[in-house]
PDB file of all heavy atoms in Angstrom:
ATOM      1  N   ASP E   1       0.805  -1.218   0.000  1.00 95.00           N
ATOM      2  CA  ASP E   1       0.000   0.000   0.000  1.00 95.00           C
ATOM      3  C   ASP E   1       0.844   1.277   0.000  1.00 95.00           C
ATOM      4  O   ASP E   1       0.322   2.369   0.220  1.00 95.00           O
ATOM      5  CB  ASP E   1      -0.922   0.007   1.225  1.00 95.00           C
ATOM      6  CG  ASP E   1      -0.166  -0.188   2.536  1.00 95.00           C
ATOM      7  OD1 ASP E   1       0.964  -0.722   2.511  1.00 95.00           O
ATOM      8  OD2 ASP E   1      -0.694   0.187   3.599  1.00 95.00           O
ATOM      9  N   ALA E   2       2.152   1.179  -0.271  1.00 96.00           N
ATOM     10  CA  ALA E   2       3.057   2.319  -0.112  1.00 96.00           C
ATOM     11  C   ALA E   2       3.286   3.134  -1.384  1.00 96.00           C
ATOM     12  O   ALA E   2       4.101   4.054  -1.378  1.00 96.00           O
ATOM     13  CB  ALA E   2       4.406   1.832   0.411  1.00 96.00           C
ATOM     14  N   GLY E   3       2.559   2.813  -2.460  1.00 96.00           N
ATOM     15  CA  GLY E   3       2.834   3.475  -3.735  1.00 96.00           C
ATOM     16  C   GLY E   3       2.791   4.988  -3.676  1.00 96.00           C
ATOM     17  O   GLY E   3       3.682   5.672  -4.201  1.00 96.00           O
ATOM     18  N   ASP E   4       1.755   5.537  -3.007  1.00 96.00           N
ATOM     19  CA  ASP E   4       1.641   6.994  -2.973  1.00 96.00           C
ATOM     20  C   ASP E   4       2.754   7.625  -2.146  1.00 96.00           C
ATOM     21  O   ASP E   4       3.236   8.721  -2.464  1.00 96.00           O
ATOM     22  CB  ASP E   4       0.270   7.421  -2.457  1.00 96.00           C
ATOM     23  CG  ASP E   4      -0.024   6.931  -1.054  1.00 96.00           C
ATOM     24  OD1 ASP E   4       0.468   5.845  -0.691  1.00 96.00           O
ATOM     25  OD2 ASP E   4      -0.748   7.627  -0.315  1.00 96.00           O
ATOM     26  N   TYR E   5       3.200   6.940  -1.088  1.00 97.00           N
ATOM     27  CA  TYR E   5       4.285   7.472  -0.258  1.00 97.00           C
ATOM     28  C   TYR E   5       5.591   7.505  -1.062  1.00 97.00           C
ATOM     29  O   TYR E   5       6.328   8.499  -1.046  1.00 97.00           O
ATOM     30  CB  TYR E   5       4.440   6.609   0.997  1.00 97.00           C
ATOM     31  CG  TYR E   5       5.209   7.260   2.141  1.00 97.00           C
ATOM     32  CD1 TYR E   5       5.131   6.731   3.421  1.00 97.00           C
ATOM     33  CD2 TYR E   5       6.006   8.392   1.964  1.00 97.00           C
ATOM     34  CE1 TYR E   5       5.809   7.313   4.489  1.00 97.00           C
ATOM     35  CE2 TYR E   5       6.700   8.968   3.013  1.00 97.00           C
ATOM     36  CZ  TYR E   5       6.594   8.421   4.272  1.00 97.00           C
ATOM     37  OH  TYR E   5       7.290   8.995   5.322  1.00 97.00           O
ATOM     38  N   LEU E   6       5.864   6.449  -1.795  1.00 98.00           N
ATOM     39  CA  LEU E   6       7.088   6.398  -2.596  1.00 98.00           C
ATOM     40  C   LEU E   6       7.069   7.478  -3.680  1.00 98.00           C
ATOM     41  O   LEU E   6       8.078   8.161  -3.918  1.00 98.00           O
ATOM     42  CB  LEU E   6       7.244   5.018  -3.226  1.00 98.00           C
ATOM     43  CG  LEU E   6       7.511   3.864  -2.249  1.00 98.00           C
ATOM     44  CD1 LEU E   6       7.493   2.520  -2.983  1.00 98.00           C
ATOM     45  CD2 LEU E   6       8.843   4.048  -1.534  1.00 98.00           C
ATOM     46  N   GLU E   7       5.930   7.651  -4.336  1.00 98.00           N
ATOM     47  CA  GLU E   7       5.819   8.692  -5.362  1.00 98.00           C
ATOM     48  C   GLU E   7       6.009  10.077  -4.760  1.00 98.00           C
ATOM     49  O   GLU E   7       6.644  10.954  -5.358  1.00 98.00           O
ATOM     50  CB  GLU E   7       4.451   8.592  -6.048  1.00 98.00           C
ATOM     51  CG  GLU E   7       4.299   7.350  -6.912  1.00 98.00           C
ATOM     52  CD  GLU E   7       2.893   7.188  -7.439  1.00 98.00           C
ATOM     53  OE1 GLU E   7       2.064   8.121  -7.234  1.00 98.00           O
ATOM     54  OE2 GLU E   7       2.594   6.142  -8.049  1.00 98.00           O
ATOM     55  N   TYR E   8       5.451  10.282  -3.578  1.00 97.00           N
ATOM     56  CA  TYR E   8       5.592  11.558  -2.867  1.00 97.00           C
ATOM     57  C   TYR E   8       7.066  11.859  -2.573  1.00 97.00           C
ATOM     58  O   TYR E   8       7.544  12.972  -2.836  1.00 97.00           O
ATOM     59  CB  TYR E   8       4.769  11.473  -1.584  1.00 97.00           C
ATOM     60  CG  TYR E   8       5.147  12.417  -0.466  1.00 97.00           C
ATOM     61  CD1 TYR E   8       4.746  13.750  -0.481  1.00 97.00           C
ATOM     62  CD2 TYR E   8       5.866  11.953   0.634  1.00 97.00           C
ATOM     63  CE1 TYR E   8       5.074  14.606   0.568  1.00 97.00           C
ATOM     64  CE2 TYR E   8       6.200  12.790   1.680  1.00 97.00           C
ATOM     65  CZ  TYR E   8       5.798  14.122   1.642  1.00 97.00           C
ATOM     66  OH  TYR E   8       6.130  14.955   2.685  1.00 97.00           O
ATOM     67  N   MET E   9       7.803  10.877  -2.064  1.00 98.00           N
ATOM     68  CA  MET E   9       9.224  11.098  -1.776  1.00 98.00           C
ATOM     69  C   MET E   9      10.006  11.377  -3.053  1.00 98.00           C
ATOM     70  O   MET E   9      10.889  12.244  -3.084  1.00 98.00           O
ATOM     71  CB  MET E   9       9.811   9.892  -1.024  1.00 98.00           C
ATOM     72  CG  MET E   9       9.401   9.819   0.428  1.00 98.00           C
ATOM     73  SD  MET E   9      10.419   8.689   1.433  1.00 98.00           S
ATOM     74  CE  MET E   9       9.782   7.120   0.902  1.00 98.00           C
ATOM     75  N   GLN E  10       9.675  10.654  -4.105  1.00 98.00           N
ATOM     76  CA  GLN E  10      10.375  10.861  -5.375  1.00 98.00           C
ATOM     77  C   GLN E  10      10.114  12.258  -5.933  1.00 98.00           C
ATOM     78  O   GLN E  10      11.019  12.888  -6.477  1.00 98.00           O
ATOM     79  CB  GLN E  10       9.951   9.770  -6.369  1.00 98.00           C
ATOM     80  CG  GLN E  10      10.491   8.392  -5.997  1.00 98.00           C
ATOM     81  CD  GLN E  10       9.721   7.252  -6.645  1.00 98.00           C
ATOM     82  OE1 GLN E  10       8.821   7.469  -7.454  1.00 98.00           O
ATOM     83  NE2 GLN E  10      10.069   6.023  -6.288  1.00 98.00           N
ATOM     84  N   ARG E  11       8.889  12.770  -5.765  1.00 97.00           N
ATOM     85  CA  ARG E  11       8.589  14.133  -6.208  1.00 97.00           C
ATOM     86  C   ARG E  11       9.410  15.161  -5.436  1.00 97.00           C
ATOM     87  O   ARG E  11       9.777  16.216  -5.971  1.00 97.00           O
ATOM     88  CB  ARG E  11       7.092  14.438  -6.044  1.00 97.00           C
ATOM     89  CG  ARG E  11       6.192  13.746  -7.039  1.00 97.00           C
ATOM     90  CD  ARG E  11       4.816  14.396  -7.086  1.00 97.00           C
ATOM     91  NE  ARG E  11       4.163  14.424  -5.767  1.00 97.00           N
ATOM     92  CZ  ARG E  11       3.382  13.463  -5.314  1.00 97.00           C
ATOM     93  NH1 ARG E  11       3.153  12.378  -6.049  1.00 97.00           N
ATOM     94  NH2 ARG E  11       2.817  13.572  -4.125  1.00 97.00           N
ATOM     95  N   LEU E  12       9.702  14.860  -4.189  1.00 97.00           N
ATOM     96  CA  LEU E  12      10.519  15.750  -3.369  1.00 97.00           C
ATOM     97  C   LEU E  12      12.007  15.655  -3.729  1.00 97.00           C
ATOM     98  O   LEU E  12      12.809  16.458  -3.256  1.00 97.00           O
ATOM     99  CB  LEU E  12      10.352  15.412  -1.885  1.00 97.00           C
ATOM    100  CG  LEU E  12       8.985  15.708  -1.261  1.00 97.00           C
ATOM    101  CD1 LEU E  12       8.941  15.182   0.176  1.00 97.00           C
ATOM    102  CD2 LEU E  12       8.674  17.196  -1.294  1.00 97.00           C
ATOM    103  N   GLY E  13      12.361  14.661  -4.536  1.00 97.00           N
ATOM    104  CA  GLY E  13      13.762  14.460  -4.899  1.00 97.00           C
ATOM    105  C   GLY E  13      14.517  13.578  -3.936  1.00 97.00           C
ATOM    106  O   GLY E  13      15.753  13.594  -3.904  1.00 97.00           O
ATOM    107  N   ILE E  14      13.779  12.783  -3.155  1.00 98.00           N
ATOM    108  CA  ILE E  14      14.409  11.860  -2.210  1.00 98.00           C
ATOM    109  C   ILE E  14      14.635  10.519  -2.900  1.00 98.00           C
ATOM    110  O   ILE E  14      13.724   9.959  -3.519  1.00 98.00           O
ATOM    111  CB  ILE E  14      13.533  11.680  -0.955  1.00 98.00           C
ATOM    112  CG1 ILE E  14      13.428  13.007  -0.189  1.00 98.00           C
ATOM    113  CG2 ILE E  14      14.090  10.593  -0.041  1.00 98.00           C
ATOM    114  CD1 ILE E  14      12.444  12.982   0.970  1.00 98.00           C
ATOM    115  N   ASP E  15      15.840  10.003  -2.793  1.00 97.00           N
ATOM    116  CA  ASP E  15      16.229   8.728  -3.387  1.00 97.00           C
ATOM    117  C   ASP E  15      15.553   7.585  -2.635  1.00 97.00           C
ATOM    118  O   ASP E  15      15.816   7.376  -1.448  1.00 97.00           O
ATOM    119  CB  ASP E  15      17.755   8.603  -3.316  1.00 97.00           C
ATOM    120  CG  ASP E  15      18.289   7.313  -3.942  1.00 97.00           C
ATOM    121  OD1 ASP E  15      17.485   6.435  -4.306  1.00 97.00           O
ATOM    122  OD2 ASP E  15      19.528   7.188  -4.041  1.00 97.00           O
ATOM    123  N   THR E  16      14.674   6.834  -3.293  1.00 98.00           N
ATOM    124  CA  THR E  16      13.956   5.737  -2.643  1.00 98.00           C
ATOM    125  C   THR E  16      14.524   4.364  -3.015  1.00 98.00           C
ATOM    126  O   THR E  16      13.865   3.343  -2.815  1.00 98.00           O
ATOM    127  CB  THR E  16      12.462   5.780  -3.002  1.00 98.00           C
ATOM    128  OG1 THR E  16      12.317   5.661  -4.428  1.00 98.00           O
ATOM    129  CG2 THR E  16      11.819   7.069  -2.538  1.00 98.00           C
ATOM    130  N   SER E  17      15.729   4.336  -3.556  1.00 97.00           N
ATOM    131  CA  SER E  17      16.288   3.073  -4.045  1.00 97.00           C
ATOM    132  C   SER E  17      16.515   2.055  -2.935  1.00 97.00           C
ATOM    133  O   SER E  17      16.596   0.849  -3.209  1.00 97.00           O
ATOM    134  CB  SER E  17      17.609   3.337  -4.790  1.00 97.00           C
ATOM    135  OG  SER E  17      18.571   3.929  -3.929  1.00 97.00           O
ATOM    136  N   LEU E  18      16.637   2.502  -1.683  1.00 98.00           N
ATOM    137  CA  LEU E  18      16.855   1.578  -0.565  1.00 98.00           C
ATOM    138  C   LEU E  18      15.607   1.399   0.298  1.00 98.00           C
ATOM    139  O   LEU E  18      15.686   0.913   1.422  1.00 98.00           O
ATOM    140  CB  LEU E  18      18.031   2.046   0.287  1.00 98.00           C
ATOM    141  CG  LEU E  18      19.414   1.925  -0.368  1.00 98.00           C
ATOM    142  CD1 LEU E  18      20.511   2.446   0.551  1.00 98.00           C
ATOM    143  CD2 LEU E  18      19.706   0.483  -0.780  1.00 98.00           C
ATOM    144  N   VAL E  19      14.457   1.782  -0.258  1.00 98.00           N
ATOM    145  CA  VAL E  19      13.182   1.462   0.385  1.00 98.00           C
ATOM    146  C   VAL E  19      12.633   0.229  -0.318  1.00 98.00           C
ATOM    147  O   VAL E  19      12.255   0.287  -1.490  1.00 98.00           O
ATOM    148  CB  VAL E  19      12.181   2.629   0.295  1.00 98.00           C
ATOM    149  CG1 VAL E  19      10.854   2.239   0.952  1.00 98.00           C
ATOM    150  CG2 VAL E  19      12.751   3.880   0.945  1.00 98.00           C
ATOM    151  N   LYS E  20      12.623  -0.867   0.377  1.00 97.00           N
ATOM    152  CA  LYS E  20      12.244  -2.151  -0.222  1.00 97.00           C
ATOM    153  C   LYS E  20      10.755  -2.421  -0.035  1.00 97.00           C
ATOM    154  O   LYS E  20      10.229  -2.314   1.080  1.00 97.00           O
ATOM    155  CB  LYS E  20      13.060  -3.279   0.420  1.00 97.00           C
ATOM    156  CG  LYS E  20      12.828  -4.654  -0.193  1.00 97.00           C
ATOM    157  CD  LYS E  20      13.779  -5.687   0.409  1.00 97.00           C
ATOM    158  CE  LYS E  20      13.616  -7.050  -0.255  1.00 97.00           C
ATOM    159  NZ  LYS E  20      14.587  -8.044   0.277  1.00 97.00           N
ATOM    160  N   VAL E  21      10.078  -2.773  -1.126  1.00 97.00           N
ATOM    161  CA  VAL E  21       8.651  -3.085  -1.080  1.00 97.00           C
ATOM    162  C   VAL E  21       8.476  -4.591  -0.892  1.00 97.00           C
ATOM    163  O   VAL E  21       8.981  -5.387  -1.684  1.00 97.00           O
ATOM    164  CB  VAL E  21       7.939  -2.630  -2.363  1.00 97.00           C
ATOM    165  CG1 VAL E  21       6.453  -2.989  -2.296  1.00 97.00           C
ATOM    166  CG2 VAL E  21       8.104  -1.128  -2.561  1.00 97.00           C
ATOM    167  N   LEU E  22       7.751  -4.964   0.155  1.00 97.00           N
ATOM    168  CA  LEU E  22       7.420  -6.372   0.416  1.00 97.00           C
ATOM    169  C   LEU E  22       5.938  -6.544   0.097  1.00 97.00           C
ATOM    170  O   LEU E  22       5.080  -6.147   0.892  1.00 97.00           O
ATOM    171  CB  LEU E  22       7.711  -6.733   1.877  1.00 97.00           C
ATOM    172  CG  LEU E  22       9.150  -6.496   2.338  1.00 97.00           C
ATOM    173  CD1 LEU E  22       9.295  -6.809   3.821  1.00 97.00           C
ATOM    174  CD2 LEU E  22      10.120  -7.352   1.526  1.00 97.00           C
ATOM    175  N   PRO E  23       5.605  -7.124  -1.065  1.00 94.00           N
ATOM    176  CA  PRO E  23       4.227  -7.101  -1.567  1.00 94.00           C
ATOM    177  C   PRO E  23       3.222  -7.900  -0.749  1.00 94.00           C
ATOM    178  O   PRO E  23       2.019  -7.724  -0.907  1.00 94.00           O
ATOM    179  CB  PRO E  23       4.366  -7.668  -2.985  1.00 94.00           C
ATOM    180  CG  PRO E  23       5.634  -8.461  -2.970  1.00 94.00           C
ATOM    181  CD  PRO E  23       6.541  -7.761  -2.013  1.00 94.00           C
ATOM    182  N   ASP E  24       3.685  -8.776   0.147  1.00 94.00           N
ATOM    183  CA  ASP E  24       2.753  -9.581   0.936  1.00 94.00           C
ATOM    184  C   ASP E  24       2.507  -8.991   2.316  1.00 94.00           C
ATOM    185  O   ASP E  24       2.020  -9.674   3.227  1.00 94.00           O
ATOM    186  CB  ASP E  24       3.281 -11.017   1.071  1.00 94.00           C
ATOM    187  CG  ASP E  24       4.674 -11.073   1.685  1.00 94.00           C
ATOM    188  OD1 ASP E  24       5.389 -10.046   1.642  1.00 94.00           O
ATOM    189  OD2 ASP E  24       5.047 -12.145   2.208  1.00 94.00           O
ATOM    190  N   THR E  25       2.812  -7.711   2.490  1.00 96.00           N
ATOM    191  CA  THR E  25       2.624  -7.048   3.785  1.00 96.00           C
ATOM    192  C   THR E  25       1.982  -5.680   3.590  1.00 96.00           C
ATOM    193  O   THR E  25       1.865  -5.185   2.468  1.00 96.00           O
ATOM    194  CB  THR E  25       3.979  -6.832   4.501  1.00 96.00           C
ATOM    195  OG1 THR E  25       4.763  -5.911   3.730  1.00 96.00           O
ATOM    196  CG2 THR E  25       4.751  -8.136   4.655  1.00 96.00           C
ATOM    197  N   PHE E  26       1.590  -5.071   4.707  1.00 96.00           N
ATOM    198  CA  PHE E  26       1.160  -3.685   4.708  1.00 96.00           C
ATOM    199  C   PHE E  26       2.305  -2.801   5.195  1.00 96.00           C
ATOM    200  O   PHE E  26       3.202  -3.247   5.911  1.00 96.00           O
ATOM    201  CB  PHE E  26      -0.052  -3.478   5.628  1.00 96.00           C
ATOM    202  CG  PHE E  26      -1.328  -4.048   5.088  1.00 96.00           C
ATOM    203  CD1 PHE E  26      -1.908  -5.167   5.670  1.00 96.00           C
ATOM    204  CD2 PHE E  26      -1.960  -3.456   4.006  1.00 96.00           C
ATOM    205  CE1 PHE E  26      -3.081  -5.697   5.177  1.00 96.00           C
ATOM    206  CE2 PHE E  26      -3.147  -3.979   3.499  1.00 96.00           C
ATOM    207  CZ  PHE E  26      -3.705  -5.102   4.092  1.00 96.00           C
ATOM    208  N   THR E  27       2.258  -1.540   4.811  1.00 96.00           N
ATOM    209  CA  THR E  27       3.221  -0.564   5.309  1.00 96.00           C
ATOM    210  C   THR E  27       2.974  -0.345   6.806  1.00 96.00           C
ATOM    211  O   THR E  27       1.820  -0.334   7.246  1.00 96.00           O
ATOM    212  CB  THR E  27       3.053   0.765   4.543  1.00 96.00           C
ATOM    213  OG1 THR E  27       3.322   0.515   3.163  1.00 96.00           O
ATOM    214  CG2 THR E  27       3.998   1.833   5.061  1.00 96.00           C
ATOM    215  N   PRO E  28       4.030  -0.178   7.597  1.00 94.00           N
ATOM    216  CA  PRO E  28       3.836   0.104   9.024  1.00 94.00           C
ATOM    217  C   PRO E  28       2.905   1.291   9.235  1.00 94.00           C
ATOM    218  O   PRO E  28       2.882   2.229   8.432  1.00 94.00           O
ATOM    219  CB  PRO E  28       5.250   0.434   9.512  1.00 94.00           C
ATOM    220  CG  PRO E  28       6.147  -0.265   8.553  1.00 94.00           C
ATOM    221  CD  PRO E  28       5.448  -0.233   7.233  1.00 94.00           C
ATOM    222  N   GLN E  29       2.141   1.243  10.306  1.00 91.00           N
ATOM    223  CA  GLN E  29       1.231   2.346  10.601  1.00 91.00           C
ATOM    224  C   GLN E  29       1.210   2.627  12.090  1.00 91.00           C
ATOM    225  O   GLN E  29       1.105   1.708  12.915  1.00 91.00           O
ATOM    226  CB  GLN E  29      -0.181   2.056  10.119  1.00 91.00           C
ATOM    227  CG  GLN E  29      -1.125   3.217  10.349  1.00 91.00           C
ATOM    228  CD  GLN E  29      -2.337   3.237   9.449  1.00 91.00           C
ATOM    229  OE1 GLN E  29      -3.195   4.093   9.587  1.00 91.00           O
ATOM    230  NE2 GLN E  29      -2.420   2.319   8.498  1.00 91.00           N
ATOM    231  N   CYS E  30       1.311   3.916  12.420  1.00 83.00           N
ATOM    232  CA  CYS E  30       1.277   4.355  13.806  1.00 83.00           C
ATOM    233  C   CYS E  30      -0.028   5.107  14.054  1.00 83.00           C
ATOM    234  O   CYS E  30      -0.423   5.964  13.252  1.00 83.00           O
ATOM    235  CB  CYS E  30       2.472   5.268  14.106  1.00 83.00           C
ATOM    236  SG  CYS E  30       2.681   5.620  15.862  1.00 83.00           S
ATOM    237  N   PHE E  31      -0.700   4.759  15.137  1.00 87.00           N
ATOM    238  CA  PHE E  31      -1.926   5.426  15.549  1.00 87.00           C
ATOM    239  C   PHE E  31      -1.599   6.258  16.784  1.00 87.00           C
ATOM    240  O   PHE E  31      -1.241   5.704  17.833  1.00 87.00           O
ATOM    241  CB  PHE E  31      -3.012   4.402  15.860  1.00 87.00           C
ATOM    242  CG  PHE E  31      -3.322   3.476  14.715  1.00 87.00           C
ATOM    243  CD1 PHE E  31      -2.597   2.300  14.536  1.00 87.00           C
ATOM    244  CD2 PHE E  31      -4.322   3.774  13.809  1.00 87.00           C
ATOM    245  CE1 PHE E  31      -2.871   1.438  13.480  1.00 87.00           C
ATOM    246  CE2 PHE E  31      -4.601   2.920  12.750  1.00 87.00           C
ATOM    247  CZ  PHE E  31      -3.880   1.754  12.581  1.00 87.00           C
ATOM    248  N   ILE E  32      -1.700   7.573  16.655  1.00 84.00           N
ATOM    249  CA  ILE E  32      -1.239   8.481  17.704  1.00 84.00           C
ATOM    250  C   ILE E  32      -2.396   9.350  18.186  1.00 84.00           C
ATOM    251  O   ILE E  32      -3.106   9.953  17.379  1.00 84.00           O
ATOM    252  CB  ILE E  32      -0.120   9.411  17.177  1.00 84.00           C
ATOM    253  CG1 ILE E  32       1.057   8.589  16.656  1.00 84.00           C
ATOM    254  CG2 ILE E  32       0.352  10.382  18.266  1.00 84.00           C
ATOM    255  CD1 ILE E  32       2.059   9.398  15.844  1.00 84.00           C
ATOM    256  N   THR E  33      -2.566   9.407  19.507  1.00 91.00           N
ATOM    257  CA  THR E  33      -3.519  10.332  20.101  1.00 91.00           C
ATOM    258  C   THR E  33      -2.744  11.326  20.960  1.00 91.00           C
ATOM    259  O   THR E  33      -1.945  10.932  21.810  1.00 91.00           O
ATOM    260  CB  THR E  33      -4.570   9.601  20.960  1.00 91.00           C
ATOM    261  OG1 THR E  33      -5.275   8.670  20.138  1.00 91.00           O
ATOM    262  CG2 THR E  33      -5.556  10.584  21.562  1.00 91.00           C
ATOM    263  N   THR E  34      -2.979  12.612  20.720  1.00 85.00           N
ATOM    264  CA  THR E  34      -2.294  13.692  21.435  1.00 85.00           C
ATOM    265  C   THR E  34      -3.316  14.471  22.256  1.00 85.00           C
ATOM    266  O   THR E  34      -4.424  14.739  21.773  1.00 85.00           O
ATOM    267  CB  THR E  34      -1.611  14.654  20.437  1.00 85.00           C
ATOM    268  OG1 THR E  34      -0.673  13.920  19.653  1.00 85.00           O
ATOM    269  CG2 THR E  34      -0.884  15.771  21.159  1.00 85.00           C
ATOM    270  N   ASP E  35      -2.952  14.828  23.506  1.00 90.00           N
ATOM    271  CA  ASP E  35      -3.870  15.629  24.320  1.00 90.00           C
ATOM    272  C   ASP E  35      -3.464  17.097  24.294  1.00 90.00           C
ATOM    273  O   ASP E  35      -2.513  17.494  23.600  1.00 90.00           O
ATOM    274  CB  ASP E  35      -3.980  15.071  25.741  1.00 90.00           C
ATOM    275  CG  ASP E  35      -2.770  15.376  26.622  1.00 90.00           C
ATOM    276  OD1 ASP E  35      -1.770  15.950  26.132  1.00 90.00           O
ATOM    277  OD2 ASP E  35      -2.823  15.036  27.818  1.00 90.00           O
ATOM    278  N   LEU E  36      -4.151  17.931  25.045  1.00 89.00           N
ATOM    279  CA  LEU E  36      -3.913  19.367  25.009  1.00 89.00           C
ATOM    280  C   LEU E  36      -2.610  19.772  25.692  1.00 89.00           C
ATOM    281  O   LEU E  36      -2.183  20.923  25.563  1.00 89.00           O
ATOM    282  CB  LEU E  36      -5.091  20.112  25.654  1.00 89.00           C
ATOM    283  CG  LEU E  36      -6.430  19.990  24.911  1.00 89.00           C
ATOM    284  CD1 LEU E  36      -7.505  20.804  25.615  1.00 89.00           C
ATOM    285  CD2 LEU E  36      -6.297  20.430  23.454  1.00 89.00           C
ATOM    286  N   ASP E  37      -1.983  18.841  26.421  1.00 87.00           N
ATOM    287  CA  ASP E  37      -0.669  19.095  27.019  1.00 87.00           C
ATOM    288  C   ASP E  37       0.453  18.604  26.108  1.00 87.00           C
ATOM    289  O   ASP E  37       1.614  18.568  26.522  1.00 87.00           O
ATOM    290  CB  ASP E  37      -0.545  18.396  28.385  1.00 87.00           C
ATOM    291  CG  ASP E  37      -1.457  19.016  29.430  1.00 87.00           C
ATOM    292  OD1 ASP E  37      -1.628  20.253  29.385  1.00 87.00           O
ATOM    293  OD2 ASP E  37      -2.002  18.279  30.270  1.00 87.00           O
ATOM    294  N   SER E  38       0.112  18.170  24.897  1.00 77.00           N
ATOM    295  CA  SER E  38       1.068  17.617  23.933  1.00 77.00           C
ATOM    296  C   SER E  38       1.637  16.266  24.365  1.00 77.00           C
ATOM    297  O   SER E  38       2.676  15.833  23.877  1.00 77.00           O
ATOM    298  CB  SER E  38       2.221  18.607  23.652  1.00 77.00           C
ATOM    299  OG  SER E  38       1.718  19.779  23.058  1.00 77.00           O
ATOM    300  N   ASN E  39       0.969  15.602  25.303  1.00 86.00           N
ATOM    301  CA  ASN E  39       1.322  14.224  25.623  1.00 86.00           C
ATOM    302  C   ASN E  39       0.756  13.311  24.534  1.00 86.00           C
ATOM    303  O   ASN E  39      -0.231  13.657  23.880  1.00 86.00           O
ATOM    304  CB  ASN E  39       0.748  13.819  26.984  1.00 86.00           C
ATOM    305  CG  ASN E  39       1.324  14.644  28.107  1.00 86.00           C
ATOM    306  OD1 ASN E  39       2.537  14.770  28.235  1.00 86.00           O
ATOM    307  ND2 ASN E  39       0.464  15.227  28.924  1.00 86.00           N
ATOM    308  N   GLN E  40       1.398  12.149  24.367  1.00 84.00           N
ATOM    309  CA  GLN E  40       0.974  11.256  23.301  1.00 84.00           C
ATOM    310  C   GLN E  40       0.774   9.834  23.804  1.00 84.00           C
ATOM    311  O   GLN E  40       1.511   9.354  24.677  1.00 84.00           O
ATOM    312  CB  GLN E  40       2.019  11.209  22.175  1.00 84.00           C
ATOM    313  CG  GLN E  40       2.146  12.491  21.387  1.00 84.00           C
ATOM    314  CD  GLN E  40       3.124  12.355  20.236  1.00 84.00           C
ATOM    315  OE1 GLN E  40       4.028  11.534  20.268  1.00 84.00           O
ATOM    316  NE2 GLN E  40       2.942  13.162  19.211  1.00 84.00           N
ATOM    317  N   ILE E  41      -0.218   9.165  23.249  1.00 88.00           N
ATOM    318  CA  ILE E  41      -0.395   7.719  23.409  1.00 88.00           C
ATOM    319  C   ILE E  41      -0.390   7.140  22.002  1.00 88.00           C
ATOM    320  O   ILE E  41      -1.152   7.589  21.140  1.00 88.00           O
ATOM    321  CB  ILE E  41      -1.701   7.368  24.133  1.00 88.00           C
ATOM    322  CG1 ILE E  41      -1.675   7.888  25.585  1.00 88.00           C
ATOM    323  CG2 ILE E  41      -1.929   5.856  24.121  1.00 88.00           C
ATOM    324  CD1 ILE E  41      -2.988   7.698  26.316  1.00 88.00           C
ATOM    325  N   ALA E  42       0.482   6.176  21.758  1.00 84.00           N
ATOM    326  CA  ALA E  42       0.633   5.651  20.400  1.00 84.00           C
ATOM    327  C   ALA E  42       0.536   4.126  20.380  1.00 84.00           C
ATOM    328  O   ALA E  42       0.930   3.442  21.331  1.00 84.00           O
ATOM    329  CB  ALA E  42       1.975   6.086  19.820  1.00 84.00           C
ATOM    330  N   SER E  43      -0.018   3.615  19.285  1.00 84.00           N
ATOM    331  CA  SER E  43      -0.015   2.180  18.992  1.00 84.00           C
ATOM    332  C   SER E  43       0.606   2.008  17.614  1.00 84.00           C
ATOM    333  O   SER E  43       0.404   2.843  16.732  1.00 84.00           O
ATOM    334  CB  SER E  43      -1.435   1.613  18.989  1.00 84.00           C
ATOM    335  OG  SER E  43      -2.075   1.844  20.211  1.00 84.00           O
TER     336      SER E  43
END
């Protein structure tokens, strides 16, 4: 599912040659909740 991320980096001029795509997996994902004190809880 990383196609748009790779295209985005390439548009910025970032070399993605060492970002390896593993087609039988999903891209890592972080779920972050931030409160009004800027504290974070992440999964």
Side-chain angles (χ1 to χ4, degrees):
D1 54 339
D4 60 328
Y5 198 164
L6 293 174
E7 291 173 7
Y8 158 79
M9 285 196 284
Q10 290 160 5
R11 287 197 303 270
L12 292 174
I14 295 173
D15 181 352
T16 60
S17 61
L18 290 179
V19 179
K20 184 174 183 177
V21 179
L22 303 177
D24 57 339
T25 65
F26 288 110
T27 298
Q29 183 157 177
C30 190
F31 303 87
I32 302 167
T33 301
T34 301
D35 76 355
L36 295 182
D37 292 324
S38 297
N39 297 309
Q40 292 184 334
I41 295 174
S43 303

